[in-house]
Amino acid sequence: MTARADQAGVDGARAGAGAGVDQALAELLRVLTPHTQADWSVKAGSLEWSCHETATHIAHDLLAYAGQLAGGAAAAYLPFDLAVAPGATPGEVLQVVTACGRLLSAAIAAADPSDRAWHWGPCDPAGFEAMGIAEILLHTYDVTQGLGIAWQPPDGLSRAVLDRLFPGAPSGGAPQVLLWSTGRAELPGRSRGTSWTWQAAVQG
């Protein structure tokens, strides 16, 4: 195999990396953009944050994940933060979310699958992708709850998050199980959780 052919194979293997973040981001924009004139100062579902604060948090975490992966942080989160102007409109906040989401998907696509960066242990690019998808889906749900929009996370993306971050999740419809796994919904025969964590670090 020639060097050029070998590189083409590597590039092809990475072609889908980050696509889940892009898909989740597109869904967020589809659902929330028509409601940017609403009152985003209301609480986001069961959270203590407002819808505006929750959307800002999405951007914050997406950028943090991108920084970890691109910088190869080995022992802690890099010492930088995202500051969104308090007076930013909901539409402007969604633009910031878009920028941070695209930075994360680009960092994932550029990474080698063997790369590791710190998130309470060594985490691979697929783990950062799953966390990015989860942040987008779960907090989009919170905002829709606050704004009175009927919406649930898409099935395929929810299943991808469960498979990577919640390997012990119970069976059932993926969106409802994801919401239950993060303390946001009930499941038949199971009490609603009050604390939870996901497993992003690579084991072994």
Side-chain angles (χ1 to χ4, degrees), residues 101-174:
R102 288 177 177 169
L103 287 171
L104 176 57
S105 63
I108 294 165
D112 189 274
S114 65
D115 288 348
R116 298 291 183 268
W118 190 86
H119 179 84
W120 308 106
C123 185
D124 59 354
F128 280 103
E129 179 163 18
M131 290 192 294
I133 296 169
E135 292 288 345
I136 294 170
L137 296 185
L138 293 170
H139 291 311
T140 296
Y141 177 79
D142 295 329
V143 173
T144 61
Q145 291 289 290
L147 299 181
I149 304 165
W151 180 83
Q152 279 206 330
D155 185 83
L157 290 173
S158 298
R159 177 56 58 193
V161 171
L162 289 171
D163 289 346
R164 180 60 178 81
L165 301 181
F166 299 95
S171 60

Short mmCIF file of all heavy atoms in Angstrom, two decimals, residues 101-174:
data_model
loop_
_atom_site.label_atom_id
_atom_site.label_comp_id
_atom_site.label_asym_id
_atom_site.label_seq_id
_atom_site.Cartn_x
_atom_site.Cartn_y
_atom_site.Cartn_z
N GLY A 101 -19.90 24.24 19.15
CA GLY A 101 -20.18 22.89 18.68
C GLY A 101 -19.34 22.53 17.47
O GLY A 101 -18.83 21.40 17.36
N ARG A 102 -19.16 23.48 16.57
CA ARG A 102 -18.35 23.21 15.37
C ARG A 102 -16.87 23.08 15.73
O ARG A 102 -16.15 22.29 15.09
CB ARG A 102 -18.59 24.30 14.34
CG ARG A 102 -19.98 24.18 13.71
CD ARG A 102 -20.28 25.29 12.74
NE ARG A 102 -21.59 25.09 12.12
CZ ARG A 102 -22.22 26.00 11.38
NH1 ARG A 102 -21.65 27.18 11.16
NH2 ARG A 102 -23.41 25.72 10.86
N LEU A 103 -16.42 23.82 16.73
CA LEU A 103 -15.05 23.64 17.19
C LEU A 103 -14.86 22.23 17.77
O LEU A 103 -13.82 21.60 17.53
CB LEU A 103 -14.71 24.69 18.25
CG LEU A 103 -14.51 26.12 17.73
CD1 LEU A 103 -14.41 27.10 18.89
CD2 LEU A 103 -13.26 26.20 16.86
N LEU A 104 -15.84 21.74 18.51
CA LEU A 104 -15.73 20.39 19.05
C LEU A 104 -15.74 19.35 17.95
O LEU A 104 -14.91 18.43 17.95
CB LEU A 104 -16.86 20.12 20.05
CG LEU A 104 -16.90 18.69 20.62
CD1 LEU A 104 -15.59 18.33 21.29
CD2 LEU A 104 -18.08 18.54 21.58
N SER A 105 -16.65 19.46 17.01
CA SER A 105 -16.71 18.44 15.95
C SER A 105 -15.43 18.46 15.12
O SER A 105 -14.94 17.40 14.70
CB SER A 105 -17.94 18.64 15.06
OG SER A 105 -17.91 19.87 14.39
N ALA A 106 -14.84 19.66 14.92
CA ALA A 106 -13.57 19.74 14.19
C ALA A 106 -12.44 19.10 14.97
O ALA A 106 -11.58 18.41 14.40
CB ALA A 106 -13.25 21.20 13.88
N ALA A 107 -12.42 19.32 16.29
CA ALA A 107 -11.38 18.71 17.12
C ALA A 107 -11.49 17.19 17.11
O ALA A 107 -10.48 16.48 17.06
CB ALA A 107 -11.48 19.24 18.55
N ILE A 108 -12.72 16.67 17.14
CA ILE A 108 -12.94 15.22 17.10
C ILE A 108 -12.47 14.66 15.76
O ILE A 108 -11.80 13.63 15.69
CB ILE A 108 -14.41 14.90 17.35
CG1 ILE A 108 -14.82 15.29 18.78
CG2 ILE A 108 -14.69 13.42 17.11
CD1 ILE A 108 -16.31 15.33 19.00
N ALA A 109 -12.84 15.34 14.67
CA ALA A 109 -12.47 14.86 13.34
C ALA A 109 -10.96 14.87 13.13
O ALA A 109 -10.42 14.01 12.43
CB ALA A 109 -13.15 15.72 12.27
N ALA A 110 -10.27 15.82 13.77
CA ALA A 110 -8.83 15.93 13.60
C ALA A 110 -8.06 14.97 14.49
O ALA A 110 -6.87 14.70 14.26
CB ALA A 110 -8.38 17.36 13.90
N ALA A 111 -8.70 14.44 15.52
CA ALA A 111 -8.02 13.58 16.49
C ALA A 111 -7.85 12.17 15.96
O ALA A 111 -8.65 11.69 15.15
CB ALA A 111 -8.80 13.56 17.80
N ASP A 112 -6.82 11.50 16.45
CA ASP A 112 -6.65 10.08 16.20
C ASP A 112 -7.47 9.31 17.24
O ASP A 112 -7.55 9.75 18.40
CB ASP A 112 -5.18 9.71 16.31
CG ASP A 112 -4.92 8.28 15.86
OD1 ASP A 112 -5.07 7.37 16.70
OD2 ASP A 112 -4.57 8.09 14.69
N PRO A 113 -8.08 8.20 16.87
CA PRO A 113 -8.85 7.44 17.86
C PRO A 113 -8.05 7.04 19.10
O PRO A 113 -8.64 6.80 20.16
CB PRO A 113 -9.30 6.20 17.07
CG PRO A 113 -9.33 6.65 15.65
CD PRO A 113 -8.20 7.62 15.51
N SER A 114 -6.73 6.97 18.96
CA SER A 114 -5.89 6.60 20.11
C SER A 114 -5.57 7.78 21.01
O SER A 114 -5.00 7.59 22.09
CB SER A 114 -4.58 5.97 19.62
OG SER A 114 -3.80 6.92 18.90
N ASP A 115 -5.92 8.99 20.61
CA ASP A 115 -5.66 10.17 21.43
C ASP A 115 -6.46 10.08 22.73
O ASP A 115 -7.57 9.55 22.76
CB ASP A 115 -6.04 11.44 20.69
CG ASP A 115 -5.08 11.79 19.57
OD1 ASP A 115 -3.99 11.17 19.51
OD2 ASP A 115 -5.40 12.66 18.74
N ARG A 116 -5.90 10.65 23.79
CA ARG A 116 -6.57 10.70 25.08
C ARG A 116 -6.44 12.11 25.66
O ARG A 116 -5.41 12.78 25.48
CB ARG A 116 -5.96 9.70 26.07
CG ARG A 116 -6.08 8.24 25.63
CD ARG A 116 -7.52 7.77 25.67
NE ARG A 116 -7.66 6.36 25.31
CZ ARG A 116 -7.88 5.92 24.08
NH1 ARG A 116 -8.02 6.78 23.07
NH2 ARG A 116 -8.00 4.63 23.85
N ALA A 117 -7.47 12.56 26.35
CA ALA A 117 -7.44 13.84 27.06
C ALA A 117 -8.25 13.66 28.34
O ALA A 117 -9.13 12.80 28.42
CB ALA A 117 -8.01 14.96 26.20
N TRP A 118 -7.99 14.50 29.31
CA TRP A 118 -8.54 14.29 30.64
C TRP A 118 -10.00 14.71 30.76
O TRP A 118 -10.39 15.82 30.38
CB TRP A 118 -7.72 15.07 31.66
CG TRP A 118 -8.04 14.75 33.09
CD1 TRP A 118 -7.52 13.75 33.86
CD2 TRP A 118 -8.97 15.45 33.94
NE1 TRP A 118 -8.06 13.77 35.13
CE2 TRP A 118 -8.95 14.80 35.21
CE3 TRP A 118 -9.81 16.55 33.76
CZ2 TRP A 118 -9.73 15.24 36.28
CZ3 TRP A 118 -10.59 16.97 34.82
CH2 TRP A 118 -10.55 16.32 36.06
N HIS A 119 -10.80 13.81 31.27
CA HIS A 119 -12.13 14.12 31.80
C HIS A 119 -12.37 13.13 32.92
O HIS A 119 -12.94 12.05 32.71
CB HIS A 119 -13.23 14.02 30.75
CG HIS A 119 -14.59 14.31 31.31
ND1 HIS A 119 -15.08 15.59 31.44
CD2 HIS A 119 -15.55 13.48 31.83
CE1 HIS A 119 -16.29 15.53 32.00
NE2 HIS A 119 -16.59 14.27 32.25
N TRP A 120 -11.87 13.45 34.11
CA TRP A 120 -11.93 12.54 35.25
C TRP A 120 -11.33 11.20 34.88
O TRP A 120 -11.88 10.14 35.20
CB TRP A 120 -13.35 12.43 35.79
CG TRP A 120 -13.94 13.77 36.05
CD1 TRP A 120 -14.90 14.41 35.32
CD2 TRP A 120 -13.58 14.68 37.11
NE1 TRP A 120 -15.16 15.66 35.84
CE2 TRP A 120 -14.35 15.86 36.95
CE3 TRP A 120 -12.67 14.62 38.16
CZ2 TRP A 120 -14.25 16.95 37.79
CZ3 TRP A 120 -12.55 15.72 39.01
CH2 TRP A 120 -13.35 16.86 38.83
N GLY A 121 -10.20 11.26 34.20
CA GLY A 121 -9.50 10.10 33.68
C GLY A 121 -9.26 10.28 32.20
O GLY A 121 -9.73 11.26 31.59
N PRO A 122 -8.53 9.35 31.58
CA PRO A 122 -8.25 9.49 30.15
C PRO A 122 -9.50 9.20 29.31
O PRO A 122 -10.12 8.15 29.44
CB PRO A 122 -7.16 8.44 29.91
CG PRO A 122 -7.39 7.41 30.98
CD PRO A 122 -7.89 8.17 32.18
N CYS A 123 -9.84 10.13 28.45
CA CYS A 123 -11.04 10.00 27.62
C CYS A 123 -10.65 10.05 26.15
O CYS A 123 -9.81 10.86 25.75
CB CYS A 123 -12.03 11.12 27.96
SG CYS A 123 -13.62 10.99 27.11
N ASP A 124 -11.25 9.19 25.35
CA ASP A 124 -10.95 9.15 23.92
C ASP A 124 -11.85 10.11 23.15
O ASP A 124 -12.81 10.67 23.70
CB ASP A 124 -11.11 7.72 23.40
CG ASP A 124 -12.51 7.15 23.59
OD1 ASP A 124 -13.34 7.81 24.23
OD2 ASP A 124 -12.75 6.03 23.11
N PRO A 125 -11.55 10.36 21.86
CA PRO A 125 -12.39 11.26 21.07
C PRO A 125 -13.85 10.86 21.03
O PRO A 125 -14.74 11.71 21.06
CB PRO A 125 -11.74 11.20 19.68
CG PRO A 125 -10.31 10.88 19.95
CD PRO A 125 -10.34 9.94 21.11
N ALA A 126 -14.13 9.55 20.97
CA ALA A 126 -15.52 9.09 20.95
C ALA A 126 -16.24 9.45 22.24
O ALA A 126 -17.44 9.75 22.24
CB ALA A 126 -15.57 7.58 20.72
N GLY A 127 -15.52 9.44 23.35
CA GLY A 127 -16.12 9.84 24.63
C GLY A 127 -16.46 11.31 24.64
O GLY A 127 -17.54 11.70 25.11
N PHE A 128 -15.57 12.14 24.12
CA PHE A 128 -15.86 13.58 24.05
C PHE A 128 -17.02 13.85 23.10
O PHE A 128 -17.84 14.75 23.34
CB PHE A 128 -14.61 14.37 23.63
CG PHE A 128 -13.65 14.59 24.76
CD1 PHE A 128 -12.50 13.84 24.87
CD2 PHE A 128 -13.92 15.54 25.74
CE1 PHE A 128 -11.61 14.03 25.92
CE2 PHE A 128 -13.04 15.75 26.80
CZ PHE A 128 -11.88 14.99 26.89
N GLU A 129 -17.10 13.07 22.02
CA GLU A 129 -18.23 13.25 21.11
C GLU A 129 -19.54 12.89 21.81
O GLU A 129 -20.53 13.63 21.71
CB GLU A 129 -18.05 12.38 19.86
CG GLU A 129 -19.22 12.52 18.89
CD GLU A 129 -18.91 12.03 17.49
OE1 GLU A 129 -17.93 11.28 17.32
OE2 GLU A 129 -19.65 12.41 16.57
N ALA A 130 -19.55 11.77 22.53
CA ALA A 130 -20.77 11.37 23.23
C ALA A 130 -21.16 12.41 24.28
O ALA A 130 -22.35 12.72 24.43
CB ALA A 130 -20.56 10.01 23.89
N MET A 131 -20.18 12.96 24.99
CA MET A 131 -20.49 13.99 25.99
C MET A 131 -21.03 15.25 25.32
O MET A 131 -21.96 15.89 25.83
CB MET A 131 -19.27 14.31 26.83
CG MET A 131 -18.87 13.19 27.77
SD MET A 131 -17.65 13.71 29.01
CE MET A 131 -16.22 14.04 27.96
N GLY A 132 -20.46 15.61 24.18
CA GLY A 132 -20.96 16.79 23.47
C GLY A 132 -22.40 16.60 23.02
O GLY A 132 -23.24 17.49 23.17
N ILE A 133 -22.70 15.42 22.47
CA ILE A 133 -24.07 15.12 22.06
C ILE A 133 -25.00 15.18 23.27
O ILE A 133 -26.10 15.75 23.20
CB ILE A 133 -24.14 13.74 21.39
CG1 ILE A 133 -23.33 13.71 20.10
CG2 ILE A 133 -25.60 13.35 21.10
CD1 ILE A 133 -23.13 12.31 19.53
N ALA A 134 -24.56 14.59 24.37
CA ALA A 134 -25.40 14.57 25.58
C ALA A 134 -25.68 15.97 26.08
O ALA A 134 -26.83 16.30 26.43
CB ALA A 134 -24.71 13.75 26.67
N GLU A 135 -24.66 16.82 26.14
CA GLU A 135 -24.86 18.20 26.59
C GLU A 135 -25.90 18.90 25.73
O GLU A 135 -26.80 19.59 26.24
CB GLU A 135 -23.54 18.97 26.55
CG GLU A 135 -22.50 18.53 27.56
CD GLU A 135 -22.84 18.90 28.99
OE1 GLU A 135 -23.72 19.75 29.19
OE2 GLU A 135 -22.20 18.36 29.90
N ILE A 136 -25.79 18.72 24.43
CA ILE A 136 -26.73 19.39 23.51
C ILE A 136 -28.14 18.85 23.70
O ILE A 136 -29.10 19.63 23.86
CB ILE A 136 -26.25 19.21 22.06
CG1 ILE A 136 -24.92 19.95 21.83
CG2 ILE A 136 -27.32 19.74 21.09
CD1 ILE A 136 -24.27 19.62 20.50
N LEU A 137 -28.29 17.54 23.67
CA LEU A 137 -29.63 16.96 23.75
C LEU A 137 -30.30 17.25 25.08
O LEU A 137 -31.47 17.68 25.13
CB LEU A 137 -29.57 15.45 23.54
CG LEU A 137 -29.09 14.93 22.19
CD1 LEU A 137 -29.22 13.41 22.14
CD2 LEU A 137 -29.85 15.57 21.03
N LEU A 138 -29.59 17.01 26.17
CA LEU A 138 -30.21 17.14 27.49
C LEU A 138 -30.57 18.58 27.80
O LEU A 138 -31.66 18.86 28.33
CB LEU A 138 -29.27 16.58 28.56
CG LEU A 138 -29.05 15.07 28.47
CD1 LEU A 138 -27.92 14.64 29.40
CD2 LEU A 138 -30.32 14.30 28.80
N HIS A 139 -29.70 19.50 27.47
CA HIS A 139 -30.02 20.90 27.79
C HIS A 139 -30.97 21.53 26.78
O HIS A 139 -31.68 22.48 27.13
CB HIS A 139 -28.73 21.70 27.96
CG HIS A 139 -27.97 21.29 29.19
ND1 HIS A 139 -28.57 21.17 30.42
CD2 HIS A 139 -26.66 20.97 29.37
CE1 HIS A 139 -27.67 20.80 31.31
NE2 HIS A 139 -26.50 20.66 30.70
N THR A 140 -31.01 21.00 25.56
CA THR A 140 -32.08 21.41 24.66
C THR A 140 -33.42 21.00 25.25
O THR A 140 -34.39 21.77 25.23
CB THR A 140 -31.91 20.78 23.26
OG1 THR A 140 -30.69 21.27 22.67
CG2 THR A 140 -33.08 21.13 22.34
N TYR A 141 -33.47 19.79 25.79
CA TYR A 141 -34.69 19.33 26.46
C TYR A 141 -35.05 20.27 27.61
O TYR A 141 -36.23 20.66 27.76
CB TYR A 141 -34.50 17.91 26.98
CG TYR A 141 -35.67 17.38 27.75
CD1 TYR A 141 -36.80 16.90 27.10
CD2 TYR A 141 -35.67 17.37 29.15
CE1 TYR A 141 -37.89 16.42 27.81
CE2 TYR A 141 -36.75 16.89 29.87
CZ TYR A 141 -37.86 16.42 29.20
OH TYR A 141 -38.95 15.96 29.90
N ASP A 142 -34.08 20.65 28.43
CA ASP A 142 -34.35 21.55 29.55
C ASP A 142 -34.94 22.87 29.07
O ASP A 142 -35.91 23.38 29.64
CB ASP A 142 -33.06 21.82 30.34
CG ASP A 142 -32.50 20.58 31.00
OD1 ASP A 142 -33.29 19.69 31.37
OD2 ASP A 142 -31.26 20.50 31.14
N VAL A 143 -34.35 23.42 28.01
CA VAL A 143 -34.83 24.71 27.50
C VAL A 143 -36.25 24.56 26.93
O VAL A 143 -37.11 25.41 27.15
CB VAL A 143 -33.86 25.27 26.43
CG1 VAL A 143 -34.45 26.52 25.77
CG2 VAL A 143 -32.51 25.61 27.07
N THR A 144 -36.49 23.47 26.21
CA THR A 144 -37.85 23.28 25.66
C THR A 144 -38.87 23.14 26.79
O THR A 144 -40.01 23.62 26.66
CB THR A 144 -37.93 22.05 24.74
OG1 THR A 144 -37.60 20.86 25.46
CG2 THR A 144 -37.01 22.20 23.54
N GLN A 145 -38.48 22.51 27.88
CA GLN A 145 -39.38 22.41 29.02
C GLN A 145 -39.70 23.79 29.57
O GLN A 145 -40.85 24.09 29.92
CB GLN A 145 -38.75 21.54 30.11
CG GLN A 145 -38.64 20.06 29.77
CD GLN A 145 -40.00 19.38 29.74
OE1 GLN A 145 -40.62 19.19 30.77
NE2 GLN A 145 -40.47 19.04 28.55
N GLY A 146 -38.69 24.63 29.66
CA GLY A 146 -38.91 25.98 30.16
C GLY A 146 -39.76 26.84 29.25
O GLY A 146 -40.58 27.64 29.71
N LEU A 147 -39.59 26.66 27.95
CA LEU A 147 -40.32 27.48 26.97
C LEU A 147 -41.65 26.87 26.57
O LEU A 147 -42.39 27.46 25.77
CB LEU A 147 -39.45 27.69 25.72
CG LEU A 147 -38.12 28.42 25.93
CD1 LEU A 147 -37.38 28.57 24.60
CD2 LEU A 147 -38.34 29.80 26.57
N GLY A 148 -41.98 25.69 27.09
CA GLY A 148 -43.26 25.07 26.77
C GLY A 148 -43.32 24.46 25.38
O GLY A 148 -44.37 24.45 24.75
N ILE A 149 -42.20 23.91 24.91
CA ILE A 149 -42.12 23.28 23.59
C ILE A 149 -42.14 21.76 23.77
O ILE A 149 -41.36 21.21 24.55
CB ILE A 149 -40.82 23.69 22.86
CG1 ILE A 149 -40.70 25.21 22.77
CG2 ILE A 149 -40.74 23.06 21.48
CD1 ILE A 149 -39.31 25.69 22.39
N ALA A 150 -43.02 21.08 23.06
CA ALA A 150 -43.08 19.62 23.13
C ALA A 150 -41.95 19.04 22.27
O ALA A 150 -41.93 19.22 21.05
CB ALA A 150 -44.43 19.12 22.63
N TRP A 151 -41.00 18.38 22.92
CA TRP A 151 -39.84 17.83 22.20
C TRP A 151 -39.17 16.76 23.03
O TRP A 151 -39.14 16.85 24.27
CB TRP A 151 -38.83 18.94 21.90
CG TRP A 151 -37.60 18.47 21.15
CD1 TRP A 151 -37.48 18.29 19.81
CD2 TRP A 151 -36.33 18.13 21.71
NE1 TRP A 151 -36.21 17.86 19.49
CE2 TRP A 151 -35.48 17.76 20.65
CE3 TRP A 151 -35.82 18.10 23.02
CZ2 TRP A 151 -34.16 17.35 20.83
CZ3 TRP A 151 -34.50 17.70 23.21
CH2 TRP A 151 -33.68 17.34 22.13
N GLN A 152 -38.65 15.74 22.37
CA GLN A 152 -37.80 14.74 23.00
C GLN A 152 -36.55 14.54 22.15
O GLN A 152 -36.58 14.74 20.93
CB GLN A 152 -38.53 13.41 23.17
CG GLN A 152 -39.45 13.37 24.38
CD GLN A 152 -39.64 11.94 24.88
OE1 GLN A 152 -39.58 10.98 24.13
NE2 GLN A 152 -39.86 11.82 26.19
N PRO A 153 -35.45 14.13 22.76
CA PRO A 153 -34.23 13.88 21.99
C PRO A 153 -34.45 12.82 20.92
O PRO A 153 -35.22 11.88 21.13
CB PRO A 153 -33.23 13.40 23.05
CG PRO A 153 -33.75 13.92 24.35
CD PRO A 153 -35.25 13.91 24.21
N PRO A 154 -33.77 12.93 19.77
CA PRO A 154 -33.90 11.92 18.72
C PRO A 154 -33.42 10.55 19.19
O PRO A 154 -32.49 10.44 20.00
CB PRO A 154 -33.00 12.45 17.60
CG PRO A 154 -32.89 13.91 17.86
CD PRO A 154 -32.93 14.07 19.34
N ASP A 155 -34.04 9.51 18.67
CA ASP A 155 -33.76 8.15 19.13
C ASP A 155 -32.33 7.74 18.86
O ASP A 155 -31.64 7.21 19.75
CB ASP A 155 -34.73 7.19 18.45
CG ASP A 155 -34.58 5.77 18.96
OD1 ASP A 155 -35.16 5.46 20.01
OD2 ASP A 155 -33.86 4.98 18.32
N GLY A 156 -31.85 7.92 17.64
CA GLY A 156 -30.51 7.44 17.28
C GLY A 156 -29.41 8.10 18.09
O GLY A 156 -28.49 7.43 18.57
N LEU A 157 -29.48 9.41 18.25
CA LEU A 157 -28.48 10.12 19.03
C LEU A 157 -28.56 9.74 20.51
O LEU A 157 -27.54 9.61 21.18
CB LEU A 157 -28.65 11.63 18.86
CG LEU A 157 -28.29 12.19 17.48
CD1 LEU A 157 -28.68 13.66 17.39
CD2 LEU A 157 -26.80 12.02 17.19
N SER A 158 -29.78 9.56 21.00
CA SER A 158 -29.95 9.14 22.39
C SER A 158 -29.32 7.77 22.62
O SER A 158 -28.64 7.55 23.64
CB SER A 158 -31.43 9.09 22.76
OG SER A 158 -32.03 10.36 22.66
N ARG A 159 -29.52 6.86 21.68
CA ARG A 159 -28.95 5.52 21.81
C ARG A 159 -27.42 5.58 21.79
O ARG A 159 -26.76 4.86 22.55
CB ARG A 159 -29.46 4.63 20.67
CG ARG A 159 -28.87 3.23 20.64
CD ARG A 159 -29.08 2.48 21.95
NE ARG A 159 -30.49 2.38 22.30
CZ ARG A 159 -30.93 2.01 23.50
NH1 ARG A 159 -30.06 1.73 24.47
NH2 ARG A 159 -32.22 1.93 23.74
N ALA A 160 -26.86 6.43 20.95
CA ALA A 160 -25.40 6.56 20.89
C ALA A 160 -24.84 7.03 22.23
O ALA A 160 -23.80 6.55 22.69
CB ALA A 160 -25.01 7.52 19.78
N VAL A 161 -25.53 7.98 22.87
CA VAL A 161 -25.09 8.48 24.17
C VAL A 161 -25.19 7.39 25.22
O VAL A 161 -24.26 7.17 26.02
CB VAL A 161 -25.92 9.71 24.59
CG1 VAL A 161 -25.62 10.10 26.03
CG2 VAL A 161 -25.64 10.88 23.66
N LEU A 162 -26.29 6.67 25.25
CA LEU A 162 -26.47 5.60 26.22
C LEU A 162 -25.40 4.52 26.06
O LEU A 162 -24.81 4.05 27.04
CB LEU A 162 -27.86 4.97 26.08
CG LEU A 162 -29.04 5.84 26.53
CD1 LEU A 162 -30.35 5.18 26.12
CD2 LEU A 162 -29.01 6.08 28.04
N ASP A 163 -25.14 4.12 24.83
CA ASP A 163 -24.17 3.05 24.59
C ASP A 163 -22.78 3.43 25.07
O ASP A 163 -22.04 2.58 25.59
CB ASP A 163 -24.13 2.70 23.10
CG ASP A 163 -25.38 1.98 22.62
OD1 ASP A 163 -26.17 1.52 23.48
OD2 ASP A 163 -25.56 1.88 21.39
N ARG A 164 -22.42 4.71 24.93
CA ARG A 164 -21.05 5.12 25.30
C ARG A 164 -20.93 5.56 26.75
O ARG A 164 -19.94 5.25 27.42
CB ARG A 164 -20.59 6.26 24.37
CG ARG A 164 -19.18 6.78 24.66
CD ARG A 164 -18.14 5.67 24.51
NE ARG A 164 -16.79 6.17 24.73
CZ ARG A 164 -16.25 6.38 25.94
NH1 ARG A 164 -16.97 6.10 27.03
NH2 ARG A 164 -15.02 6.84 26.06
N LEU A 165 -21.91 6.28 27.25
CA LEU A 165 -21.77 6.92 28.56
C LEU A 165 -22.54 6.22 29.67
O LEU A 165 -22.22 6.39 30.85
CB LEU A 165 -22.22 8.38 28.49
CG LEU A 165 -21.47 9.28 27.51
CD1 LEU A 165 -22.02 10.70 27.58
CD2 LEU A 165 -19.97 9.28 27.80
N PHE A 166 -23.57 5.46 29.32
CA PHE A 166 -24.40 4.78 30.32
C PHE A 166 -24.54 3.30 29.97
O PHE A 166 -25.65 2.83 29.67
CB PHE A 166 -25.78 5.44 30.40
CG PHE A 166 -25.77 6.88 30.81
CD1 PHE A 166 -25.78 7.89 29.85
CD2 PHE A 166 -25.74 7.23 32.15
CE1 PHE A 166 -25.77 9.23 30.23
CE2 PHE A 166 -25.73 8.57 32.54
CZ PHE A 166 -25.75 9.57 31.58
N PRO A 167 -23.44 2.56 30.00
CA PRO A 167 -23.49 1.16 29.56
C PRO A 167 -24.42 0.28 30.39
O PRO A 167 -24.86 -0.77 29.92
CB PRO A 167 -22.03 0.70 29.68
CG PRO A 167 -21.41 1.64 30.66
CD PRO A 167 -22.09 2.96 30.43
N GLY A 168 -24.74 0.68 31.60
CA GLY A 168 -25.63 -0.11 32.43
C GLY A 168 -27.07 0.35 32.41
O GLY A 168 -27.87 -0.07 33.26
N ALA A 169 -27.42 1.20 31.45
CA ALA A 169 -28.78 1.74 31.40
C ALA A 169 -29.80 0.63 31.14
O ALA A 169 -29.51 -0.34 30.43
CB ALA A 169 -28.88 2.80 30.31
N PRO A 170 -31.00 0.76 31.69
CA PRO A 170 -32.03 -0.26 31.45
C PRO A 170 -32.53 -0.22 30.02
O PRO A 170 -32.27 0.73 29.28
CB PRO A 170 -33.13 0.14 32.43
CG PRO A 170 -32.95 1.60 32.65
CD PRO A 170 -31.47 1.84 32.58
N SER A 171 -33.25 -1.25 29.64
CA SER A 171 -33.82 -1.31 28.30
C SER A 171 -35.02 -0.37 28.22
O SER A 171 -35.58 0.04 29.23
CB SER A 171 -34.24 -2.74 27.96
OG SER A 171 -35.21 -3.20 28.89
N GLY A 172 -35.39 -0.05 26.99
CA GLY A 172 -36.53 0.84 26.77
C GLY A 172 -36.24 1.81 25.65
O GLY A 172 -35.16 1.78 25.05
N GLY A 173 -37.20 2.67 25.36
CA GLY A 173 -37.00 3.68 24.33
C GLY A 173 -35.84 4.58 24.71
O GLY A 173 -35.78 5.11 25.82
N ALA A 174 -34.91 4.76 23.79
CA ALA A 174 -33.67 5.47 24.10
C ALA A 174 -33.89 6.89 24.63
O ALA A 174 -33.24 7.29 25.61
CB ALA A 174 -32.75 5.48 22.89
#
